[in-house]
């Protein structure tokens, strides 16, 4: 990567710096000095700031979880309104009990890429997305007052892939009905309230998401129990399919809706 070829992380010092070659005492000052089309490095430390990236083509990165953007109770951890921005190798949070007002990351500009970001808690939504052609991948989101990831009406042609979401007070991932042509795949969603993935968009693909087990349903989510997979399908009231994998399943099942199909994998799928 060009950044590391020019400035090895071990040589970048204890304060935020940018591709203009300048060093600052705050992350926001380093971003403001950049004025777009460059990078800002966040060193290890607790940076109590509410970051705004308003210019285009900004890359914000750190050393991993030790590079901590702490939004506290005063605003979103990071707000992105500039296009073609890239955020990675950071920890971000907003403090719960801030009135369920502040997101970990709020993306309102197109072509943003967020990966390997750890959101340790969020007063509202872990990552709020209201922009097109965004990629959210390999992030870990834990303890949110609302959703882990929410794709609002303006979030089209986005990819949400290989993220881990744990302990959300609403659904793990949700899409608005007009968030179109997105792909939600390969995510691990645990300890949700509501549904693990609540896709309200008929044009969005949801596939191969792990919601605690191996019982896959037609909503693209695998559950730890057959009943859990059935309940998830029934929450939509439109019928669906639950596939029972090979193994012995000691459950008493309740199916309340019409058009629910249980299918096994032959004699190896045993229900007792």
């Amino acid at each position: 990567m060009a950044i590391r070829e020019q400035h090895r992380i071990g040589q970048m010092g204890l304060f935020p710096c940018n591709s203009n070659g300048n060093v600052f005492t705050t992350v926001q000052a380093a971003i403001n000095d950049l004025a777009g089309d460059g990078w800002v490095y966040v060193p290890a430390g607790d940076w109590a700031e509410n970051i705004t990236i308003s210019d285009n083509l900004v890359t914000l990165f750190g050393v991993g979880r030790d590079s901590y953007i702490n939004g506290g109770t005063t605003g979103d951890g990071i707000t992105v309104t500039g296009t073609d921005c890239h955020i990675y190798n950071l920890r971000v949070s907003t403090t719960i009990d801030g009135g369920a007002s502040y997101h970990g990351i709020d993306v309102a500009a197109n072509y943003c890429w967020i990966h390997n970001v750890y959101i340790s808690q969020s007063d509202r939504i872990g990552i709020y997305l209201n922009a097109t052609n965004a990629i959210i991948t390999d992030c870990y989101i834990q303890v949110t007052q609302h959703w882990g990831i929410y794709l609002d009406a303006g979030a089209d042609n986005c990819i949400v892939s290989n993220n881990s979401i744990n302990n959300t007070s609403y659904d793990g991932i949700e899409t608005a009905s007009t968030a179109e042509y997105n792909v939600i795949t390969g995510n691990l969603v645990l300890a949700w309230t509501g549904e693990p993935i609540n896709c309200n968009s008929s044009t969005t693909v949801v596939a191969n998401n792990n919601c605690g087990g191996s019982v896959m349903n037609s909503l693209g989510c695998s559950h730890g129990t057959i009943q859990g997979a059935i309940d998830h399908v029934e929450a939509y009231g439109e019928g669906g399919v639950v596939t029972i994998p090979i193994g012995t399943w000691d459950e008493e099942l309740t199916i309340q809706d019409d058009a629910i199909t249980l299918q096994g994998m032959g004699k190896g799928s045993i229900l007792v």
Side-chain angles (χ1 to χ4, degrees), residues 244-249 265 268-270:
I244 304 172
I246 292 174
T248 300
W249 299 88
M265 304 180 71
S269 299
I270 303 170

Side-chain angles (χ1 to χ4, degrees), residues 23-44:
V23 178
F24 298 87
T25 57
T26 67
V27 177
Q28 189 66 60
I31 293 170
N32 295 344
D33 176 74
L34 189 62
D37 197 8
W39 54 261
V40 170
Y41 166 67
V42 182

Side-chain angles (χ1 to χ4, degrees), residues 190-258:
L190 301 172
W192 64 86
T193 301
E195 305 301 332
I197 298 177
N198 185 0
C199 180
N200 298 296
S201 166
S202 61
T203 61
T204 289
V205 174
V206 181
N208 300 319
N209 297 283
N210 184 344
C211 303
S214 59
V215 185
M216 182 64 72
N217 63 25
S218 51
L219 299 177
C221 297
S222 62
H223 290 256
T225 65
I226 302 169
Q227 190 66 58
I230 293 170
D231 292 344
H232 186 197
V233 171
E234 289 188 331
Y236 290 85
E238 298 176 356
V241 178
V242 172
T243 301
I244 304 172
I246 292 174
T248 300
W249 299 88
D250 186 3
E251 298 187 49
E252 295 182 3
L253 303 179
T254 300
I255 299 176
Q256 301 182 44
D257 289 355
D258 297 333

Side-chain angles (χ1 to χ4, degrees), residues 50-127:
N50 305 110
I51 301 299
T52 298
I53 303 174
S54 56
D55 292 308
N56 302 334
L57 296 166
V58 173
T59 295
L60 183 69
F61 74 103
V63 298
R65 295 187 182 188
D66 289 337
S67 298
Y68 178 26
I69 304 295
N70 182 356
T73 60
T74 55
D76 297 331
I78 300 175
T79 301
V80 183
T81 58
T83 61
D84 289 286
C85 292
H86 183 190
I87 300 170
Y88 69 101
N89 287 1
L90 294 172
R91 176 185 170 196
V92 182
S93 78
T94 55
T95 303
I96 290 177
D97 295 330
S101 301
Y102 303 121
H103 311 309
I105 301 177
D106 182 342
V107 179
N110 302 337
Y111 297 99
C112 185
W113 180 20
I114 301 172
H115 79 279
N116 198 31
V117 171
Y118 172 47
I119 297 181
S120 53
Q121 64 173 312
S122 175
D123 183 49
R124 190 168 176 82
I125 303 171
I127 298 177

